[in-house]
Amino acid sequence: MTLRHFLGTGRHGPPLPDEAVALYRELAAANPDGPLRDLAVSLNNLAVQLGHLERREEGLTAIREAADHYRQLTLRDAAKYEPDLQTSLEVAEWLESLPSSGRQSGL
């Protein structure tokens, strides 16, 4: 079974776990030193799922935000967070390699 089987095709499938992203964004805004890594991990996971659902542009938006957060974290502890940053950059590269959906937002 594939991820698409479990998540559907997006429009007709169950909602993506963007609720976790929204929650971590709220928590990170209230406490910038707190759950930033959790937010980055959630964004990374969301980006991968969006890529599997052929929602490349949305995935790129999520992974770029994740990479930005990992860059902030590497300033605090490079040894700890550089592997996570590298992973997010690899996900971004994978998403860039996917064909563009050609869909325009709002239509």
Side-chain angles (χ1 to χ4, degrees), residues 5 7 18-19 23 26 31 40 43 47 49 67 71 75 77-78 83 96 103:
H5 172 79
L7 294 179
D18 49 3
E19 293 91 7
L23 176 63
E26 207 174 294
N31 181 8
L43 286 162
Q49 291 175 351
R71 283 184 186 98
L75 294 174
D77 188 344
E96 287 283 352
R103 286 187 265 167

Side-chain angles (χ1 to χ4, degrees), residues 8-100:
T9 57
R11 191 179 301 174
H12 301 291
L16 291 170
D18 49 3
E19 293 91 7
V21 170
L23 176 63
Y24 285 125
R25 273 195 184 116
E26 207 174 294
L27 292 171
N31 181 8
D33 292 328
L36 192 58
R37 182 181 184 278
D38 294 330
L39 173 58
V41 168
S42 294
L43 286 162
N44 189 83
N45 293 340
L46 179 61
V48 170
Q49 291 175 351
L50 288 166
H52 285 290
L53 294 173
E54 298 174 5
R55 294 168 61 181
R56 176 183 179 260
E57 298 306 318
E58 293 169 88
L60 284 168
T61 299
I63 201 62
R64 287 177 183 138
E65 184 181 345
D68 287 344
H69 294 313
Y70 283 129
R71 283 184 186 98
Q72 290 176 19
L73 290 166
T74 59
L75 294 174
R76 297 179 196 170
D77 188 344
K80 184 174 181 180
Y81 296 111
E82 277 182 356
D84 294 328
L85 175 59
Q86 182 60 39
T87 298
S88 69
L89 296 174
E90 290 169 3
V91 170
E93 186 176 338
W94 169 69
L95 286 165
E96 287 283 352
S97 75
L98 297 177
S100 180

